[in-house]
Amino acid sequence: MLHGDISSSNDTVGVAVVNYKMPRLHTKAEVLDNARKIADMLVGMKAGLPGMDLVIFPEYSTQGIMYDSKEMYETASAVPGEETAIFAEACRKAKVWGVFSLTGERHEEHPHKAPYNTLILMNDKGEIVQKYRKIMPWVPIEGWYPGNCTYVSDGPKGMKVSLIICDDGNFPEIWRDCAMKGAELIVRCQGYMYPAKEQQILISKAMAWANNVYVAVANAAGFDGVYSYFGHSAIIGFDGRTLGECGEEDYGIQYAQLSKHLIRDARRNGQSQNHLYKLVHRGYTGMINSGESPRGVAACPYDFYKNWIADPEGTRDMVEAMTRSTPGTAECPIDGIPNDAGPSNY
């Protein structure tokens, strides 16, 4: 894990993250103009960072947040489509991989169902290698149709890459799912705003540590007339330590070199902090000392996960019993979100 140079090597993947200023757009023409701006920035960055293999732009960086529902549907993208064609040309020109946000991507039943919040991983030939749809839209504000699974793809120089989006990263389950599928780099693109700055810096570092995985976070910056975005795009080592982190500046960039050998060596030879191995080899020392299996216990000990798989509706009822039974709350109502005006739990 190297930070501070502009190079890379056969072993290291040069990764850059961008504090892209949150745009406020209204039409398809404005979106395409902004996509060309992103493409120009990518090409320019490669000139200054010759080792850059992968550049990552934040959630909402292409279309901005369409606060008007009509505009949101009208500017929703096809994948592949006009926006991805612009990005593909830039990736080919610069010989760089890119992660780009499409908020939103048209639903298969567009316009009868809400668009998806989508990321694409594009290779240096302009081909879409991974298309990820946000599993956990940021309710109650985000109206995106939820995705249903994570992916792992061979990225630049063979590093295994997963994409997740913003609020996804507040749920440890998604990080673990990506890591257990073999991800070596989890890319978290976000359009996160105040007041959640400290929590979001913390969670990505903690999840890198807990999952023995590199993390690259690209976050929006600036003010779009509604929210103020705190930036702090960062690249984090698999030991949970930050290699480089932006401040709050518009268009800030951080860059680091991520070693394939180092993470693979750590996952193979790490012992006390090898969280992925230990999770499914529980207590192997005590079992060895007891004359039992040296592989420890593989069975899942967590009732919540067993119940969730076996009985999702019953598990939802259990969670509602200790939280609430409606999407909204009567004490802070939001237009269009049902709420229960019954007695409070306290």
Side-chain angles (χ1 to χ4, degrees), residues 288-315:
I288 291 170
N289 292 342
S290 301
E292 299 183 36
S293 170
R295 301 182 71 195
V297 180
C300 175
Y302 309 113
D303 289 342
F304 169 73
Y305 291 107
K306 290 187 277 190
N307 293 338
W308 194 7
I309 294 296
D311 182 13
E313 294 295 333
T315 303

Side-chain angles (χ1 to χ4, degrees), residues 54-107:
L54 173 66
V55 58
I56 302 162
F57 290 90
E59 180 190 31
Y60 288 109
S61 53
T62 303
Q63 286 135 309
I65 298 180
M66 298 286 175
Y67 295 102
D68 179 277
S69 179
K70 182 173 181 291
E71 292 177 353
M72 182 180 80
Y73 279 77
E74 288 176 348
T75 58
S77 305
V79 179
E82 293 175 278
E83 295 84 357
T84 61
I86 292 169
F87 299 145
E89 182 180 1
C91 287
R92 288 191 295 266
K93 182 176 180 179
K95 297 182 174 60
V96 166
W97 291 57
V99 174
F100 306 101
S101 170
L102 295 165
T103 46
E105 178 206 358
R106 292 185 175 192
H107 193 281

Side-chain angles (χ1 to χ4, degrees), residues 19 38 57-58 106 126 136 171 174 189 214 226 243:
N19 263 13
I38 291 171
F57 290 90
R106 292 185 175 192
M136 301 295 294
F171 298 86
I174 195 166
C189 295
Y214 291 119
V226 176
L243 299 177

Side-chain angles (χ1 to χ4, degrees), residues 4 17 32 36 52 76 82 111 141 145 148 153-154 188 191 193 201 216 240 245 267 292 299 310:
V17 292
L32 295 177
R36 285 186 277 269
M52 185 174 75
E82 293 175 278
I141 301 300
Y145 202 91
N148 62 4
S153 305
D154 287 337
R188 184 188 188 195
M193 67 292 287
I201 292 172
E245 183 176 323
R267 286 181 172 183
E292 299 183 36

Side-chain angles (χ1 to χ4, degrees), residues 54 97-99 120-123 127-130 153 161 163:
L54 173 66
W97 291 57
V99 174
I120 59 167
L121 172 65
M122 181 174 281
N123 67 19
E127 301 163 336
I128 297 172
V129 173
Q130 185 177 141
S153 305
V161 179
L163 308 179

